[in-house]
Amino acid sequence: SVFNSEWPEYNDELLVESSFELVVQVNGKVRAKTQVATDISQEDAIKTAKELTNIQSHIVNKEVVKEIYVPGKLVNIVVK
């Protein structure tokens, strides 16, 4: 019977995400999204964002004023 059965057990290791969707913005507008590892560093996240073809088309021949990284969420590149 259901009343006599035990509660199912779960594994904590299976609940941990190994990657997430990094949103890449240029001047506050979403230009691309990519999958990256959850333990990515700020430098690697910005480097990965700049290597995306859609992002390159928006920052070519422009001065990068600021690079903002919100861990686990997004990269915003401000250009002039």
Side-chain angles (χ1 to χ4, degrees):
S1 155
V2 175
F3 298 109
N4 294 329
S5 63
E6 293 187 23
W7 190 258
E9 294 183 20
Y10 63 93
N11 187 350
D12 288 334
E13 294 174 5
L14 298 176
L15 298 174
V16 178
E17 294 286 331
S18 61
S19 66
F20 70 97
E21 186 175 53
L22 180 69
V23 176
V24 183
Q25 299 177 336
V26 177
N27 289 340
K29 295 182 181 176
V30 176
R31 301 295 183 186
K33 296 178 183 178
T34 185
Q35 288 288 327
V36 295
T38 55
D39 61 347
I40 193 168
S41 66
Q42 177 176 351
E43 295 81 21
D44 290 338
I46 292 172
K47 180 182 172 190
T48 302
K50 286 183 174 181
E51 290 174 352
L52 297 171
T53 56
N54 194 25
I55 300 303
Q56 287 179 353
S57 67
H58 285 92
I59 64 174
V60 68
N61 298 329
K62 295 184 181 175
E63 177 187 351
V64 176
V65 178
K66 196 175 202 180
E67 299 168 339
I68 303 166
Y69 174 62
V70 178
K73 294 191 180 192
L74 64 88
V75 170
N76 187 7
I77 302 170
V78 180
V79 295
K80 231 198 275 198

